[in-house]
């Protein structure tokens, strides 16, 4: 945080006016005599010897009582990238470009970049700092062998640089799409940023190796800004774990059921934010909150349990609809000013399940955690109740993904038949979607939510072409989207199973898969699930299955013929089949065209009449045709210097702020 300067700002006001007047004069008459005069004014105004090197103006502002924390233009998003509090990133839009500010505890260089995998391979990197009073910023890239090379096309534009005895701050901008083959385009998808720093600046041989001062973090850089600010008087309640013992293993998923506090009247939840135990910022990786069935006694609240464990309480299995998601690096979620999550009425959640993913890569022992979520609520009821619809593939073993494939696609349909029936009864004028959570598991690589109306495809509702299972949060839509009766939604998921030797099945475990979209919308209607699952018998016909034992008395059911599969479960038969890349692609094509079983559910698992019926998927273009990216304005080379006016502007801002501990 930056604190206001302790100086009397009016005291230096006259001197600053002299500076700006001198800047104006200098722009009209740029000769050496007037430049020298301006230097003397700067020295007097800021009590700092400037000398003849203009870049030293940046360092001048770093003396106590005269340091700026940046260009003075606020950036709406801010997150800590490392676990020690040494590397902060701020970002946000600025004039059609994206602006970044790096605040790092080092007096050497600062590195930042974008990587397809979170490693140094094939990365887009920028390195900057302040060396002997001169700011520098250079655009680099790496090849597949992680070799660092300076980019011929310099697409990062320095806007501010400072250094003091403890910190370096660099502020720069770049276009979203530079059309440089060595740069990564910035889209609404997840971005894996990489970071590094060193105690020495960049020399003639380039940046020195950063050793362990490096890392990666998944972020969504194009989230819309959230402008509504809560009053400090808004009440809240916490759903937090109590002394959960974290096993000394890399990954733990912990589930705990909670009962929503008894409320005497209707309330609206207007914001949800994470409550992370101090010191556990890197331990708590993500949190999901599910709505559960209302038909329980409070005995289900007694004990938490590892999620997806064979001995997990049956009650946990009824908690299927995600109503909130947070991931490390994410922010709290605020509902739009006209919408709130209703609590306190018979239709509202009574029980919820908190799922926390703990990441303990160093296998620390003896950890106890008390993290969770904080829900802010009010009796100042907003115009609309928010609802959540789960759309996509019904979670089932009938969702099948062969092994060894770099690119397999699954589709889940929220069919026009389901939306026609439910919306015609509940809201013929349609519902309005304002945020979406796209959800898959560890094999997931990309998810798109496609939207069709009367056979015509509309703009994507949401997408993430670089999905990261460990970074999941609701995406705010830039503008609300209306869903009408008869619309059709397709959740399209892309998977990579190259490292798997056996089939991947739909299921709850992280090694199983899902293909889901959670739509936050208003006004709330009685529709909680709009999903589908492809016919399993036609999938089995692909591998040569002819007949199963009927009636079905065991699960998974047993195959009767042909001989090579006789008395095997359908899961064992699918695993026995010799999958090749060619066979996998042929199977994928068939699965996408199969009839689907429609799931169309109400609250507490009641069903609309369309539930269980068979529907044909629409005839659509596959794969989805991505719109071409538009390049930004022409890039210019950075020459290691910044314009005189810009430097002076930073200097004047420097006199109004003081440096606080980062």
């Amino acid at each position: 945080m930056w604190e206001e300067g302790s100086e009397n700002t009016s005291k230096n006001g006259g001197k600053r006016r002299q500076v700006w007047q001198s800047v104006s004069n200098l722009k009209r008459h740029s000769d050496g005599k007037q430049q020298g005069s301006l230097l003397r004014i700067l020295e007097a105004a800021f009590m700092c010897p400037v000398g003849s090197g203009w870049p030293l103006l940046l360092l001048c502002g770093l003396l106590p009582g005269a340091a700026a924390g940046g260009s003075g233009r606020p950036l709406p998003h801010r997150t800590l990238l490392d676990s020690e509090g040494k590397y902060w990133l701020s970002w946000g839009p600025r004039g059609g470009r994206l602006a970044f500010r790096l605040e790092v505890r080092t007096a050497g260089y600062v590195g930042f970049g974008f990587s397809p995998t979170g490693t140094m391979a094939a990365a887009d990197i920028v390195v900057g700092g302040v060396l002997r009073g001169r700011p520098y910023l250079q655009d680099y890239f790496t090849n597949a062998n992680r070799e660092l090379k300076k980019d011929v096309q310099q697409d990062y534009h320095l806007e501010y640089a400072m250094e003091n005895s403890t910190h370096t701050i660099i502020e720069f901008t770049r276009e979203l799409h530079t059309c440089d083959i060595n740069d990564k385009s910035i889209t609404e998808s997840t971005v894996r940023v990489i970071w590094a720093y060193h105690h020495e600046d960049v020399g003639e041989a380039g940046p020195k190796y950063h050793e362990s001062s490096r890392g990666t973090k998944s972020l969504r850089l194009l989230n819309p800004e959230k402008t509504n600010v809560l009053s400090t008087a808004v009440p809240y309640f916490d759903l937090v774990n109590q002394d959960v013992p974290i096993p000394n293993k890399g990954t733990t998923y912990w589930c705990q059921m909670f009962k929503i506090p008894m409320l005497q009247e209707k309330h609206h939840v207007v914001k949800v934010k994470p409550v992370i135990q101090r010191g556990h910022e890197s331990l708590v990786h993500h949190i999901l909150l599910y709505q559960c069935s209302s038909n329980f006694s409070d005995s289900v609240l007694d004990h938490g349990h590892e999620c997806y464990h064979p001995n997990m309480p049956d009650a946990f299995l009824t908690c299927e609809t995600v109503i909130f998601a947070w991931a490390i690096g994410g922010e709290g979620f605020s509902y739009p000013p006209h919408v709130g999550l209703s609590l306190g009425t018979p239709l509202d959640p009574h029980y919820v399940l908190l799922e926390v993913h703990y990441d303990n890569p160093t296998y620390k022992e003896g950890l106890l955690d008390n993290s969770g979520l904080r829900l802010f609520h009010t009796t100042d009821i907003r115009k609309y109740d928010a609802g959540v619809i789960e759309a996509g593939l019904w979670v089932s073993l009938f969702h099948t993904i062969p092994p060894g494939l770099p690119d397999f696609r699954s589709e889940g349909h929220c069919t026009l038949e389901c939306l026609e029936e439910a919306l015609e009864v509940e809201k013929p004028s349609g519902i309005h979607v304002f945020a979406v959570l796209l959800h898959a598991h560890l094999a997931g690589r990309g998810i798109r939510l496609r939207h069709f109306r009367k056979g015509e495809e509309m703009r994507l509702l949401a997408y993430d072409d670089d999905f990261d299972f460990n970074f999941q949060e609701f995406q705010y839509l830039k503008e609300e989207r209306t869903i009408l009766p008869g619309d059709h939604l397709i959740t399209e998921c892309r998977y990579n199973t190259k490292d798997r030797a056996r089939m991947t099945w739909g299921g709850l475990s992280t090694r199983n898969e899902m293909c889901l979209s959670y739509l936050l919308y208003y006004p709330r209607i009685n529709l909680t699930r709009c999903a589908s699952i492809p016919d399993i018998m036609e999938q089995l016909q692909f591998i040569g299955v002819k007949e199963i034992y009927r009636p079905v008395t065991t699960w998974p059911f047993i195959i009767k013929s042909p001989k090579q599969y006789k008395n095997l479960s359908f899961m064992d038969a699918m695993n026995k089949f010799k999958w090749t890349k060619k066979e996998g692609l042929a199977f994928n094509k068939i699965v996408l065209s199969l009839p689907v079983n429609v799931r169309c559910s109400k609250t507490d698992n009641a069903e609309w009449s369309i539930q269980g019926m068979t529907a044909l998927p629409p005839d659509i273009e596959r794969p989805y045709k991505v719109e071409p990216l538009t390049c930004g304005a022409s890039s210019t080379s950075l020459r290691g210097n910044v314009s005189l006016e810009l430097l002076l502007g930073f200097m004047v801002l420097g006199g109004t702020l003081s440096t606080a501990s980062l």
Side-chain angles (χ1 to χ4, degrees):
M1 295 290 294
W2 296 107
E3 300 172 352
E4 293 187 6
S6 57
E7 289 185 302
N8 184 337
T9 54
S10 64
K11 179 178 176 181
N12 290 322
K15 295 178 181 178
R16 294 193 185 93
R17 283 191 291 274
Q18 291 182 54
V19 172
W20 287 119
Q21 183 62 51
S22 298
V23 172
S24 178
N25 291 338
L26 188 67
K27 290 171 69 177
R28 289 195 299 270
H29 308 286
S30 183
D31 59 56
K33 182 178 178 180
Q34 285 173 325
Q35 290 186 18
S37 175
L38 179 56
L39 286 172
R40 287 191 293 276
I41 292 173
L42 286 169
E43 290 178 354
F46 296 100
M47 298 173 289
C48 174
V50 176
S52 60
W54 282 106
L56 286 175
L57 290 172
L58 289 173
L59 296 183
C60 178
L62 304 181
L63 295 178
S71 66
R73 287 170 283 184
L75 296 173
H77 304 289
R78 178 175 166 88
T79 188
L80 181 65
L81 294 188
D82 72 326
S83 61
E84 299 179 350
K86 294 182 178 180
Y87 200 125
W88 285 91
L89 166 68
S90 303
W91 76 94
R94 181 178 294 168
R97 301 166 67 88
L98 200 60
F100 299 88
R101 182 165 61 246
L102 312 177
E103 307 167 28
V104 188
R105 183 178 285 274
T106 185
Y109 77 73
V110 174
F112 179 78
F114 310 103
S115 165
T117 60
T119 69
M120 282 287 288
D124 174 11
I125 296 170
V126 62
V127 177
V130 180
L131 176 61
R132 292 189 291 274
R134 293 182 179 273
Y136 61 91
L137 190 76
Q138 291 289 348
D139 186 350
Y140 291 87
F141 68 94
T142 58
N143 58 23
N145 296 322
R146 308 186 182 191
E147 296 170 330
L148 185 67
K149 300 180 180 181
K150 188 176 292 186
D151 201 334
V152 174
Q153 181 175 313
Q154 294 284 306
D155 293 301
Y156 292 85
H157 296 256
L158 180 65
E159 299 215 358
Y160 179 85
M162 66 159 271
E163 181 182 286
N164 61 17
S165 60
T166 60
H167 285 82
T168 295
I169 297 182
I170 303 291
E171 193 168 312
F172 55 88
T173 63
R174 62 155 278 182
E175 300 286 351
L176 300 182
H177 318 297
T178 66
C179 290
D180 180 351
I181 60 172
N182 298 316
D183 290 348
K184 306 301 179 191
S185 288
I186 299 174
T187 69
E188 294 176 28
S189 296
T190 296
V191 176
R192 290 164 176 82
V193 302
I194 55 176
W195 57 267
Y197 61 91
H198 197 277
H199 65 277
E200 295 183 21
D201 279 292
V202 176
E204 292 184 3
K208 289 187 176 181
Y209 183 57
H210 41 62
E211 303 293 344
S212 61
S213 301
R214 59 186 169 87
T216 182
K217 192 184 189 84
S218 289
L219 297 171
R220 189 165 286 112
L221 296 176
L222 299 187
N223 262 350
E225 297 178 35
K226 298 173 282 293
T227 55
N228 51 324
V229 178
L230 287 181
S231 164
T232 55
V234 174
Y236 63 84
F237 61 87
D238 290 344
L239 305 173
V240 296
N241 287 318
Q242 300 295 321
D243 291 332
V244 172
I246 310 304
N248 60 333
K249 61 180 182 178
T251 299
T252 300
Y253 292 86
W254 187 262
C255 284
Q256 174 71 56
M257 192 174 283
F258 293 88
K259 188 175 184 179
I260 297 296
M262 294 293 293
L263 302 171
Q264 301 304 313
E265 57 183 322
K266 180 174 179 174
H267 287 235
H268 265 160
V269 173
V270 294
K271 181 175 181 176
V272 186
K273 63 176 289 187
V275 178
I276 308 301
Q277 181 175 323
R278 188 172 183 178
H280 286 191
E281 289 80 6
S282 61
L283 178 70
V284 181
H285 208 279
H286 75 251
I287 301 174
L288 297 177
L289 187 66
Y290 298 85
Q291 180 173 342
C292 306
S293 171
S294 300
N295 302 318
F296 294 123
S297 69
D298 289 356
S299 62
V300 300
L301 310 175
D302 292 343
H303 303 288
H305 202 284
E306 275 200 56
C307 311
Y308 315 118
H309 191 278
N311 296 330
M312 185 177 75
D314 291 342
F316 290 8
L317 298 176
T318 72
C319 309
E320 298 182 302
T321 301
V322 174
I323 56 177
F324 179 72
W326 172 87
I328 188 168
E331 305 170 9
F333 183 87
S334 296
Y335 286 84
H338 51 299
V339 185
L341 176 65
S342 180
L343 296 178
T345 79
L347 295 176
D348 299 332
H350 295 163
Y351 294 92
V352 292
L353 183 76
L354 189 76
E355 174 189 304
V356 182
H357 169 196
Y358 294 105
D359 188 30
N360 185 14
T362 58
Y363 298 89
K364 290 182 180 178
E365 297 183 355
L367 295 174
L368 298 175
D369 184 66
N370 296 273
S371 300
L373 298 174
R374 176 165 294 168
L375 281 68
F376 295 85
H377 58 99
T378 177
T379 54
D380 185 12
I381 302 302
R382 296 179 171 186
K383 187 173 182 180
Y384 299 107
D385 290 345
V388 183
I389 294 175
E390 178 190 288
L393 262 172
W394 184 44
V395 181
S396 162
L397 292 176
F398 296 172
H399 177 198
T400 58
I401 307 171
L405 299 179
D407 190 346
F408 186 89
R409 313 229 169 192
S410 298
E411 290 178 353
H413 297 266
C414 176
T415 65
L416 64 89
E417 292 87 356
C418 178
L419 289 175
E420 183 81 45
E421 180 180 12
L423 286 174
E424 283 292 358
V425 172
E426 296 276 321
K427 192 67 178 176
S429 60
I431 57 175
H432 307 283
V433 179
F434 59 87
V436 174
L437 170 68
L438 302 173
H439 182 68
H441 284 174
L442 292 173
R445 294 296 181 271
I447 310 176
R448 296 187 179 119
L449 180 54
R450 303 174 69 173
H451 183 194
F452 297 83
R453 178 172 295 159
K454 297 180 180 179
E456 296 293 324
E457 181 157 17
M458 306 178 72
R459 285 184 297 111
L460 288 174
L461 265 167
Y463 72 93
D464 190 345
D465 292 333
D466 294 294
F467 176 78
D468 182 354
F469 171 71
N470 292 316
F471 180 70
Q472 301 185 56
E473 62 178 1
F474 277 101
Q475 301 179 29
Y476 294 90
L477 302 190
K478 290 182 178 178
E479 56 186 40
E480 294 177 354
R481 296 284 296 276
T482 301
I483 308 298
L484 296 175
D487 283 3
H488 191 112
L489 306 179
I490 300 178
T491 303
E492 174 191 279
C493 296
R494 176 168 49 88
Y495 302 100
N496 184 327
T497 59
K498 285 183 68 175
D499 61 344
R500 301 188 179 192
R502 296 173 64 81
M503 292 288 297
T504 298
W505 309 95
L508 299 177
S509 166
T510 57
R511 291 288 294 180
N512 295 139
E513 269 309 328
M514 293 186 178
C515 182
L516 296 171
S517 301
Y518 293 95
L519 284 64
L520 276 179
Y521 71 93
Y522 70 89
R524 180 174 62 179
I525 62 174
N526 195 4
L527 176 64
T528 59
R529 179 180 292 117
C530 182
S532 70
I533 194 71
D535 184 86
I536 186 61
M537 290 309 301
E538 295 203 39
Q539 294 184 61
L540 292 173
Q541 287 174 15
F542 178 85
I543 67 169
V545 171
K546 299 184 182 302
E547 187 180 6
I548 66 171
Y549 285 104
R550 297 183 185 276
V552 174
T553 57
T554 60
W555 183 256
F557 58 77
I558 306 299
I559 293 170
K560 187 174 183 180
S561 68
K563 186 176 181 180
Q564 73 255 38
Y565 299 135
K566 185 176 177 65
N567 295 329
L568 293 180
S569 71
F570 77 86
M571 297 176 70
D572 289 336
M574 293 282 271
N575 276 317
K576 185 176 180 179
F577 184 74
K578 303 297 184 185
W579 291 102
T580 63
K581 185 175 181 180
K582 181 180 179 181
E583 296 283 5
L585 292 175
F587 178 71
N588 201 170
K589 186 176 181 180
I590 287 175
V591 169
L592 294 178
S593 65
L594 292 179
V596 297
N597 185 278
V598 175
R599 319 304 295 179
C600 195
S601 306
K602 301 180 181 180
T603 305
D604 279 344
N605 293 319
E607 300 171 352
W608 288 95
S609 65
I610 195 71
Q611 171 103 345
M613 297 182 67
T614 298
L616 290 173
D619 184 17
I620 64 171
E621 184 177 6
R622 294 188 181 93
Y624 174 80
K625 187 175 182 180
V626 180
E627 294 183 7
L629 299 175
T630 303
C631 299
S634 60
S635 300
T636 58
S637 296
L638 295 173
R639 298 176 178 87
N641 288 320
V642 185
S643 71
L644 173 61
E645 183 178 0
L646 190 58
L647 288 171
L648 290 170
F650 293 148
M651 211 32 241
V652 172
L653 286 169
T656 66
L657 297 173
S658 65
T659 305
S661 59
L662 292 174

